[in-house]
Amino acid sequence: MTEMPFEEQKSYNTLLVYGAIVTVSLILTTVSSFCFYLAALKASENLHDQMTKAVMKAPVLFFDTNPVGRILNRFSKDIGSMDDLLPGQFLFAVQLLLYFFTATVLSAVTNVWLVITCTPLTLLFIYLAKYYLKSAREIRRLDSITCSPVYSCIADTVAGLEVIRSSEMEEEFLQRFYRYLDKNTAAAIMLKASTRWLSIRGDSLSNFLVTSVSAGALFATQSPGIQHC
């Protein structure tokens, strides 16, 4: 269509084709997003139901070995992360992977020499991602472990509030809550720092890739400016 004359590009049939492509793309995007989030909602609902049934049928030994805060953490923060963060991040990762694949294929078709630049950068990013996942997995587990005592402290404080006030131990329980919260905040900050570590290196690789692609496209095309030089 780009090789058509300008008057033909402005014709009714050409504009109708453009409009049909945009409309179909919008409909497919909406339908795919709706189906994806509907599947994620059903999966989260099934998981929550299975967890509830498992806890209701659990023996007394389960509640003796697992504190209340750990159980509340699974039903609140973990389920909340799966409902709020995981579907959107997974859909964004799939779209980003498709964009990356499309851009790589188009760049390779346009200029084969760009594959020489993309290949080592892709391998380097995969290495950094694997290195990040090893640390982030343990930090995420540490964040979950340190979050459980916070919920346990709140539940125990609410349950024994009369005894705490009658014994005048409000300050002791408050300081205990602050200690648990400080440990959880430290783990959360470490998790944010590890994410930023990968983001900075990913941005650096992306900037280098864009610069390499721009330079390759500039030297690959024989523009009049280069010829005069």
Side-chain angles (χ1 to χ4, degrees), residues 32 40 48 81 88 90 108 110 116 151 153 169 187 192 196 198 215 217:
S32 61
H48 186 273
S81 298
F90 182 74
T110 305
I116 301 177
Y151 289 104
C153 184
M169 299 180 64
K192 293 290 185 181
R196 290 306 306 165
L198 181 63

Side-chain angles (χ1 to χ4, degrees), residues 75-143:
F75 278 93
S76 57
K77 185 178 180 180
D78 293 348
I79 294 296
S81 298
M82 295 183 63
D83 292 341
D84 300 334
L85 300 178
L86 188 59
Q89 294 295 330
F90 182 74
L91 182 60
F92 177 74
V94 172
Q95 293 176 350
L96 191 62
L97 184 62
L98 294 176
Y99 293 156
F100 173 77
F101 179 75
T102 305
T104 304
V105 171
L106 290 178
S107 300
V109 171
T110 305
N111 187 5
V112 183
W113 294 102
L114 295 178
V115 181
I116 301 177
T117 305
C118 296
T119 302
L121 291 179
T122 303
L123 296 177
L124 181 58
F125 183 79
I126 292 175
Y127 170 76
L128 293 175
K130 290 183 177 180
Y131 184 82
Y132 160 77
L133 287 176
K134 292 180 181 179
S135 303
R137 190 181 297 112
E138 299 299 328
I139 297 175
R140 175 68 70 178
R141 185 177 293 111
L142 181 63
D143 177 61

Side-chain angles (χ1 to χ4, degrees), residues 131-170:
Y131 184 82
Y132 160 77
L133 287 176
K134 292 180 181 179
S135 303
R137 190 181 297 112
E138 299 299 328
I139 297 175
R140 175 68 70 178
R141 185 177 293 111
L142 181 63
D143 177 61
S144 180
I145 292 174
T146 55
C147 186
S148 298
V150 177
Y151 289 104
S152 297
C153 184
I154 295 175
D156 295 340
T157 303
V158 173
L161 189 60
E162 293 82 1
V163 179
I164 295 174
R165 288 180 176 178
S166 61
S167 303
E168 296 181 356
M169 299 180 64
E170 296 91 341

